[in-house]
Amino acid sequence: GAVVSQHPSRVICKSGTSVKIECRSLDFQATTMFWYRQFPKQSLMLMATSNEGSKATYEQGVEKDKFLINHASLTLSTLTVTSAHPEDSSFYICSARDIYDITGGNEQFFGPGTRLTVL
Amino acid sequence: GNSVTQMEGPVTLSEEAFLTINCTYTATGYPSLFWYVQYPGEGLQLLLKATKADDKGSNKGFEATYRKETTSFHLEKGSVQVSDSAVYFCALSGEGRRALTFGSGTRLQVQP
């Protein structure tokens, strides 16, 4: 089955530093990947849509200069949290859609998530 | 805009009990509907899906039927096991929008 990996799985950093999270589709190609944020015991909130070879599309209220997204290849998207602060601490999850998905159902495959803790 | 509403948890059941987790949605047109499951310490996994009205998705004993007339996609299982303990998310993908809109999640705890 389709597998999406994220790295790192857990990161602790000091306030003011930047953190990069990688999302990779391991056995399929994805022109579009999605980045979500999940607060404890809450649902996933879409942050942005990452498009291969073009700029990401951010949801309302998400600072594009704060959360930098790069989608340089069909199998890799990165999210960089710049100048992280404690309020950025959260669980970040990516998902990817297979470009050859012919089911029409828009099935997405999720990474295991990255837990970010900013001290 | 699109939205998904699912019942509050946690839901606590004994093993072999019948499970229903309600999910209703608001969307224009004909969205695709999904149930995802998140086991402790793991990422989301697709449990089942339905792409058009009256479709029934099923997997691992779980079922959900896409009811357009009631805008619902309730999750059911006839006999739950301890290993089913997890958080279940109902989600939809609207027409022309490929990102998913999630419900708040329902935690299921199954006791032996």
Side-chain angles (χ1 to χ4, degrees):
Chain A
V3 178
V4 175
S5 69
Q6 278 185 245
H7 178 80
S9 58
R10 187 181 297 267
V11 57
I12 301 172
C13 69
K14 294 182 179 180
S15 186
T17 60
S18 294
V19 174
K20 180 186 285 188
I21 302 170
E22 292 185 349
C23 176
R24 293 182 185 272
S25 56
L26 298 185
D27 49 3
F28 65 99
Q29 294 180 325
T31 53
T32 303
M33 293 184 175
F34 303 94
W35 286 96
Y36 296 85
R37 185 172 178 175
Q38 184 180 28
F39 291 100
K41 298 186 178 181
Q42 294 189 30
S43 188
L44 283 74
M45 300 299 295
L46 179 68
M47 298 175 64
T49 302
S50 173
N51 303 299
E52 188 268 336
S54 64
K55 292 183 179 180
T57 304
Y58 290 81
E59 295 299 296
Q60 191 172 12
V62 178
E63 299 177 59
K64 58 183 65 177
D65 294 331
K66 173 79 172 174
F67 298 98
L68 299 178
I69 291 173
N70 183 278
H71 193 153
S73 77
L74 290 173
T75 59
L76 173 64
S77 175
T78 60
L79 168 68
T80 301
V81 182
T82 62
S83 186
H85 291 283
E87 58 265 29
D88 299 324
S89 298
S90 192
F91 195 54
Y92 293 88
I93 302 172
C94 72
S95 72
R97 181 172 176 265
D98 189 337
I99 63 173
Y100 296 114
D101 177 17
I102 60 173
T103 65
N106 191 30
E107 180 176 345
Q108 294 180 23
F109 303 97
F110 284 80
T114 296
R115 184 163 301 284
L116 170 63
T117 303
V118 185
L119 303 177
Chain B
N2 298 336
S3 67
V4 176
T5 303
Q6 60 183 106
M7 60 190 289
E8 295 263 343
V11 174
T12 303
L13 296 173
S14 298
E15 207 165 20
E16 299 184 359
F18 184 86
L19 168 71
T20 300
I21 300 178
N22 290 337
C23 171
T24 57
Y25 68 90
T26 302
T28 55
Y30 300 91
S32 295
L33 302 175
F34 306 84
W35 276 101
Y36 281 86
V37 58
Q38 187 176 33
Y39 296 103
E42 299 184 15
L44 272 73
Q45 301 174 26
L46 178 66
L47 180 59
L48 54 83
K49 68 179 181 182
T51 58
K52 61 183 186 294
D54 299 325
D55 266 1
K56 176 185 284 188
S58 62
N59 185 26
K60 299 180 181 179
F62 291 89
E63 292 183 341
T65 302
Y66 187 160
R67 302 285 189 199
K68 189 162 178 64
E69 64 275 14
T70 55
T71 62
S72 65
F73 193 54
H74 304 321
L75 182 68
E76 297 182 336
K77 185 174 185 181
S79 176
V80 294
Q81 306 300 312
V82 173
S83 57
D84 294 326
S85 298
V87 180
Y88 293 82
F89 292 94
C90 184
L92 72 81
S93 174
E95 287 185 343
R97 177 172 172 82
R98 293 170 291 171
L100 294 173
T101 300
F102 285 87
S104 56
T106 302
R107 182 175 300 277
L108 170 66
Q109 298 173 330
V110 181
Q111 298 176 336

